């Protein structure tokens, strides 16, 4: 079930990424489409992004739990990382939902980079923490 959910979230993220290129044919129309980061489709794109990380990390935590003979003490620390990911994805979504169409993408990426980096780093640390 977890792998099916992971497949669907990653596929949804990919589909929302490529939507403008397929639907609008790329070029300036696609660039203008991607500039509106407060649009509902872009916020759904961020939702797929966060969900795919969350599902993947929960699968890793489950695997660690099984490997260590269902010991609950082993998974206490790794459960902190998905919580941090949920918070960072929610903050990233909130920051971008406040943006206005046509606002400088550079400014928005400056606001979002710490939250994106936090999500990525917590995933990497989670993978290497139990070993």
């Amino acid at each position: 079930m977890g792998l099916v959910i992971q497949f669907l979230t990653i596929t949804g993220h990919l589909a929302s990424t490529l939507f403008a290129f397929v639907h609008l044919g790329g070029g300036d129309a696609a660039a203008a489409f991607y500039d509106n980061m407060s649009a509902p489709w872009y916020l759904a794109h961020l939702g797929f992004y966060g969900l795919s990380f969350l599902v993947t990390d929960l699968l890793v935590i489950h695997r660690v739990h099984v490997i260590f003979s269902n010991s609950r003490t082993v998974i206490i620390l790794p459960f902190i990382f998905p919580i941090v990911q949920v918070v960072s994805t929610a903050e990233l979504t909130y920051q971008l939902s406040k943006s206005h169409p046509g606002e400088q993408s550079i400014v928005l990426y400056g606001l979002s980079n710490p939250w994106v980096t936090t999500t990525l780093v917590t995933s990497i640390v989670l993978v290497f923490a139990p070993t």
Side-chain angles (χ1 to χ4, degrees):
M1 181 62 105
L3 291 175
V4 170
I5 294 170
Q6 182 184 27
F7 173 77
L8 292 175
T9 58
I10 291 172
T11 304
H13 180 70
L14 177 66
S16 65
T17 301
L18 298 177
F19 176 74
F21 291 106
V22 173
H23 181 67
L24 300 175
D28 291 335
F33 188 73
Y34 283 122
D35 276 343
N36 187 4
M37 294 184 184
S38 62
W41 73 269
Y42 196 85
L43 299 178
H45 173 76
L46 288 175
F48 283 124
Y49 155 84
L51 232 93
S52 62
F53 274 102
L54 182 66
V55 169
T56 303
D57 290 344
L58 290 176
L59 287 172
V60 169
I61 290 171
H62 176 264
R63 188 66 191 149
V64 168
H65 181 63
V66 169
I67 288 173
F68 285 97
S69 302
N70 298 327
S71 173
R72 291 184 182 185
T73 57
V74 173
I75 62 169
I76 291 173
L77 180 64
F79 259 115
I80 294 171
F81 298 115
I83 293 168
V84 170
Q85 286 182 348
V86 168
V87 169
S88 64
T89 302
E91 182 62 29
L92 173 63
T93 305
Y94 174 72
Q95 289 289 332
L96 293 180
S97 70
K98 293 189 320 184
S99 68
H100 305 290
E103 193 172 348
Q104 290 279 334
S105 296
I106 302 299
V107 173
L108 295 173
Y109 284 127
L111 291 173
S112 68
N113 265 344
W115 300 108
V116 172
T117 304
T118 301
T119 304
L120 296 173
V121 167
T122 53
S123 279
I124 292 170
V125 169
L126 178 66
V127 170
F128 292 111
T131 58

